[in-house]
């Protein structure tokens, strides 16, 4: 048995327990939030404020900085987790699940590769939407937030912070302020040993947030950038042939903010 911090992990038996992150790993409950029934308009759902910080303003001029204590530096979080390749019949998303993300409004898949970089000041690896059937560059692995140490195979619940690491390049889905007019840039950043809080995303079920309920591949979701509060966003804006723009923008209440998991056949 290999032991990561205080958590034991037996490779032959993935624990079906829920991912129970630290106090920083999940946004606090907000008694003033209005949670509607599943399928209601996402505009009625207000996510809780990030831990120890002001409520989200969704203003691109409201620049917020990462917490340096929530990076990969001196983190107890394992650098790698076993890859879980699930068939579509296994709808429960877990720590380690390898998945693709389909943008529901356009049908294209979230993608990155080493041949595309941003045309803006960051010069980081570009994240974009492309194609409609999963290919090698469309796969991402679900990982815990920095400083969290869940057991591999733990079930992920809505409202939990996660990271998404690109299988082929090893970089994380990442966002930061600036470089895109009125919206925040989305890139692929870092590697197994380099990750910061701008790689943290809160997974929410479309409509009501679904906090504390199980993330399922059949649900429409919103991926909310934890630091800024902005949602992963795309639309029919082509940067070049079959390279659809992906940014971080707004409250997550538009149809163009909806994504759904695709799993291996």
């Amino acid at each position: 048995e290999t032991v990561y911090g205080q958590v034991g992990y037996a490779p032959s038996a993935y624990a079906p327990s829920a991912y129970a992150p630290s106090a920083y790993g999940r946004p606090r409950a907000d008694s003033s939030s209005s949670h509607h029934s599943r399928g209601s308009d996402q505009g009625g759902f207000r996510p809780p404020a990030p831990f120890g910080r002001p409520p989200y303003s969704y203003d691109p001029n409201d620049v917020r900085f990462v917490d340096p204590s929530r990076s990969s530096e001196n983190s107890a979080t394992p650098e790698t987790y076993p890859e879980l390749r699930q068939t579509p019949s296994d709808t429960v998303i877990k720590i380690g699940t390898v998945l693709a993300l389909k943008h529901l409004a356009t049908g294209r898949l979230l993608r990155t590769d080493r041949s595309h970089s941003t045309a803006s000041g960051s010069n980081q690896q570009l994240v974009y939407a492309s194609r409609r059937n999963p290919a090698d560059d469309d796969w991402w692995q679900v990982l815990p937030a920095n400083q969290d140490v869940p057991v591999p195979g733990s079930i992920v619940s809505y409202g939990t912070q996660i990271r998404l690491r690109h299988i082929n390049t090893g970089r994380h889905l990442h966002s930061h302020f600036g470089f895109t007019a009125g919206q925040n840039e989305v890139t692929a950043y870092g590697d197994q040993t380099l990750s910061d809080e701008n790689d943290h995303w809160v997974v929410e079920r479309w409509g009501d947030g679904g906090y504390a309920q199980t993330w399922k591949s059949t649900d429409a979701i919103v991926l909310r950038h934890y630091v800024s509060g902005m949602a992963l966003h795309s639309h029919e804006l082509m940067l070049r042939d079959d390279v659809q723009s992906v940014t971080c923008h707004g409250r997550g209440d538009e149809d163009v903010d909806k994504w759904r998991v695709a799993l291996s056949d």
Side-chain angles (χ1 to χ4, degrees), residues 21-33:
S22 66
Y24 282 92
R26 177 177 296 158
R28 297 171 299 168
D30 184 348
S31 60
S32 66
S33 295

Side-chain angles (χ1 to χ4, degrees), residues 109-213:
L109 293 153
L110 191 71
R111 159 178 285 234
T112 190
D113 57 67
R114 292 187 177 90
S115 65
H116 291 85
S117 297
T118 63
S120 59
S122 76
N123 292 316
Q124 293 179 7
Q125 189 169 295
L126 182 70
V127 170
Y128 59 101
S130 183
R131 304 178 182 269
R132 289 181 167 83
N133 295 304
D136 287 348
D137 285 322
D138 301 324
W139 298 107
W140 305 78
Q141 185 184 24
V142 178
L143 297 176
N146 291 309
Q147 306 294 337
D148 287 343
V149 192
V151 174
S154 296
I155 295 168
V156 179
S157 58
Y158 291 117
T160 299
Q161 282 185 65
I162 61 165
R163 291 177 296 155
L164 289 172
R165 179 179 292 161
H166 190 243
I167 293 295
N168 273 3
T169 66
R171 300 191 186 278
H172 303 103
L173 184 67
H174 178 94
S175 183
H176 45 238
F177 286 91
F179 302 121
T180 305
Q183 301 184 13
N184 292 339
E185 190 174 69
V186 174
T187 65
Y189 169 81
D191 54 35
Q192 292 179 0
T193 63
L194 179 62
S195 175
D196 66 20
E197 199 180 29
N198 274 333
D199 302 336
H200 291 187
W201 300 82
V202 180
V203 59
E204 297 172 354
R205 188 171 62 199
W206 172 265
D208 62 357
Y211 279 33
Q213 298 182 50

Side-chain angles (χ1 to χ4, degrees), residues 39-158:
S40 63
D41 190 306
Q42 182 82 358
F45 169 71
R46 187 177 69 181
F51 190 88
R53 303 176 194 179
Y56 294 128
S57 68
Y58 311 106
D59 180 352
N61 296 313
D62 179 13
V63 178
R64 300 184 178 209
F65 298 99
V66 299
D67 179 349
S69 72
R70 302 208 62 221
S71 73
S72 55
E73 185 174 358
N74 300 318
S75 175
T77 307
E79 292 177 358
T80 62
Y81 273 78
E83 294 180 8
L84 299 182
R85 303 275 180 168
Q86 299 171 217
T87 63
S89 62
D90 183 0
T91 62
V92 175
I93 306 303
K94 309 168 186 73
I95 292 297
T97 294
V98 175
L99 52 76
L101 284 172
K102 183 179 285 289
H103 186 241
L104 292 186
T106 63
R108 293 186 175 87
L109 293 153
L110 191 71
R111 159 178 285 234
T112 190
D113 57 67
R114 292 187 177 90
S115 65
H116 291 85
S117 297
T118 63
S120 59
S122 76
N123 292 316
Q124 293 179 7
Q125 189 169 295
L126 182 70
V127 170
Y128 59 101
S130 183
R131 304 178 182 269
R132 289 181 167 83
N133 295 304
D136 287 348
D137 285 322
D138 301 324
W139 298 107
W140 305 78
Q141 185 184 24
V142 178
L143 297 176
N146 291 309
Q147 306 294 337
D148 287 343
V149 192
V151 174
S154 296
I155 295 168
V156 179
S157 58
Y158 291 117

Side-chain angles (χ1 to χ4, degrees), residues 219-231:
D219 291 338
I221 65 167
V222 172
L223 281 175
R224 188 175 305 282
H225 188 240
Y226 182 71
V227 174
S228 69
M230 307 285 193

